[in-house]
Amino acid sequence: MSEQQIFSESFLIPSDTHGIELNVIRKCLDKNQTYDESKTLLMVHGATYSSGSLYDTPVAGVSFMDHLAYAGFDVYAVDVRGYGGSTRPQAMTQPTRSGLPLGRTETAVRDFTCAANFLLNTRQLKQLNIFGMSWGGTIAATYTTKNNEKVRRLGLLAPQWLSHKPVPIDSGDALGAWRIVNMHAAKQHWLSGAPADKRDSLIPAGTFDAWVERTLPDEPDAELRAHASFKSGNGPIQDIREYWTANKPYYDPKDIDVPVILIHGEWDIDVPIDLAQDWFLRATGSPEKRWVEIGEATHMLILEKNRLSATHALTDFISAPRL
């Protein structure tokens, strides 16, 4: 790994809603360099954890965003409203039963669109590379179907898709505006996808503690933080019920007409391999498709021992010229 220092910043941009600002993290090797379309990447997180939590937690001292910056990319990661450093809807301060599920996919796509337009305008680019994980895959893919001309290449990590079985994130309980996520319980779920004899070696030493340290400061409730917990909106779960387990695709993969890579871990129990395959086979409009299946990896593979396989696959794919 290069010893060159990475430039890092976080800043707020306006959303399309008065009073709601969106947090954007940026990492690159040289803030004064002009990065072209092939080297500019915008990422978005999944349904539970912020972009900083997923993409900027150091593993052995280097985060996913750091690896991309070292590979020569100007990489950005946005938090949609209610996540990370972005504005929290007022309803998150109220009792959960008093409101409708917060953070529906439609709103997240609008927030992502604001971030994409901001980068296209301020960096004077016509296209971006974009990347999304899980629910973020829905956000990124939906954006692409509406803006193919603005997307150079699309990267997806375990994108959610139609499921005939219950989805683990959905407990089946009545949904309020938000839910409480405990990170130790999340770790148990994370490891449950791996064979018992592989669990101890799956998460590199120190990574879970680093993940907790990177995730919890964004939670304003000190009592929740003290119990390694935070609030997350229930909108994505409501959408699971209305779309993904109701055989109603939120978008159609065939409407994506840009190159796409799908990255997936063999032990992923949140987006099992048959769902990933179904998605891949439906993406018939893409002129170039790649599927990278990573062995001994779960849904959280970017924080695991085999994370570099995903990093290298993504950087190789984005670096390739358009055919």
Side-chain angles (χ1 to χ4, degrees):
M1 183 62 61
S2 170
E3 293 184 358
Q4 186 174 355
Q5 187 171 357
I6 291 175
F7 171 75
S8 176
E9 66 175 343
S10 295
F11 54 90
L12 295 172
I13 63 171
S15 73
D16 61 5
T17 305
H18 178 71
I20 299 290
E21 293 184 307
L22 308 174
N23 182 60
V24 179
I25 306 168
R26 179 194 185 192
K27 290 205 166 184
C28 62
L29 286 179
D30 184 355
K31 68 176 180 178
N32 297 314
Q33 178 178 332
T34 299
Y35 292 88
D36 64 18
E37 295 172 351
S38 69
K39 292 297 185 181
T40 306
L41 172 64
L42 174 62
M43 306 196 296
V44 63
H45 54 83
T48 304
Y49 306 101
S50 70
S51 282
S53 171
L54 292 170
Y55 302 137
D56 206 27
T57 290
V59 183
V62 186
S63 72
F64 187 62
M65 291 187 75
D66 292 337
H67 282 293
L68 293 168
Y70 279 128
F73 291 96
D74 190 17
V75 57
Y76 299 81
V78 62
D79 292 324
V80 303
R81 65 188 70 186
Y83 291 82
S86 293
T87 304
R88 291 191 161 216
Q90 185 64 26
M92 292 191 81
T93 67
Q94 305 299 318
T96 182
R97 298 302 180 194
S98 64
L100 297 174
L102 289 170
R104 300 295 296 268
T105 304
E106 182 272 336
T107 304
V109 173
R110 285 170 32 217
D111 286 349
F112 185 81
T113 301
C114 289
N117 287 340
F118 175 86
L119 291 182
L120 290 167
N121 293 334
T122 59
R123 301 296 178 248
Q124 298 184 318
L125 301 172
K126 292 183 179 180
Q127 292 184 319
L128 298 170
N129 300 294
I130 66 175
F131 177 83
M133 170 183 169
S134 195
W135 180 57
T138 295
I139 298 168
T142 300
Y143 172 83
T144 301
T145 63
K146 298 175 182 293
N147 301 276
N148 276 288
E149 74 284 357
K150 297 180 181 179
V151 179
R152 180 178 175 274
R153 286 176 172 264
L154 170 63
L156 301 173
L157 171 57
Q160 65 178 162
W161 190 240
L162 301 174
S163 178
H164 299 297
K165 299 177 181 178
V167 177
I169 194 176
D170 184 1
S171 67
D173 297 335
L175 294 178
W178 47 265
R179 67 194 187 281
I180 293 176
V181 178
N182 176 267
M183 299 200 72
H184 294 288
K187 181 183 180 182
Q188 290 184 334
H189 172 74
W190 176 358
L191 291 174
S192 69
D197 63 339
K198 299 287 188 177
R199 293 173 187 171
D200 288 344
S201 61
L202 183 65
I203 305 174
T207 298
F208 177 74
D209 290 340
W211 185 46
V212 172
E213 184 177 341
R214 185 64 179 82
T215 304
L216 291 182
D218 290 323
E219 171 54 55
D221 188 319
E223 185 175 354
L224 284 179
R225 292 198 308 271
H227 291 87
S229 300
F230 62 94
K231 294 179 183 177
S232 190
N234 275 332
I237 299 176
Q238 183 65 39
D239 285 330
I240 287 173
R241 297 180 181 184
E242 293 187 15
Y243 293 94
W244 303 115
T245 56
N247 198 35
K248 183 181 177 182
Y250 190 84
Y251 66 95
D252 194 334
K254 73 176 178 57
D255 293 333
I256 295 169
D257 65 16
V258 305
V260 60
I261 185 171
L262 190 158
I263 302 171
H264 186 262
E266 70 162 324
W267 294 334
D268 193 330
I269 58 175
D270 296 278
V271 179
I273 193 169
D274 58 323
L275 272 63
Q277 181 183 43
D278 188 29
W279 189 99
F280 191 83
L281 294 176
R282 293 184 189 226
T284 56
S286 172
E288 179 190 354
K289 295 192 297 181
R290 299 186 194 179
W291 179 343
V292 177
E293 186 72 11
I294 298 176
E296 298 200 0
T298 76
H299 196 63
M300 298 290 288
L301 65 87
I302 57 173
L303 296 176
E304 296 175 357
K305 64 178 182 180
N306 289 331
R307 65 199 177 280
L308 295 185
S309 295
T311 306
H312 294 154
L314 181 63
T315 55
D316 288 349
F317 171 75
I318 296 177
S319 298
R322 283 291 298 262
L323 300 177

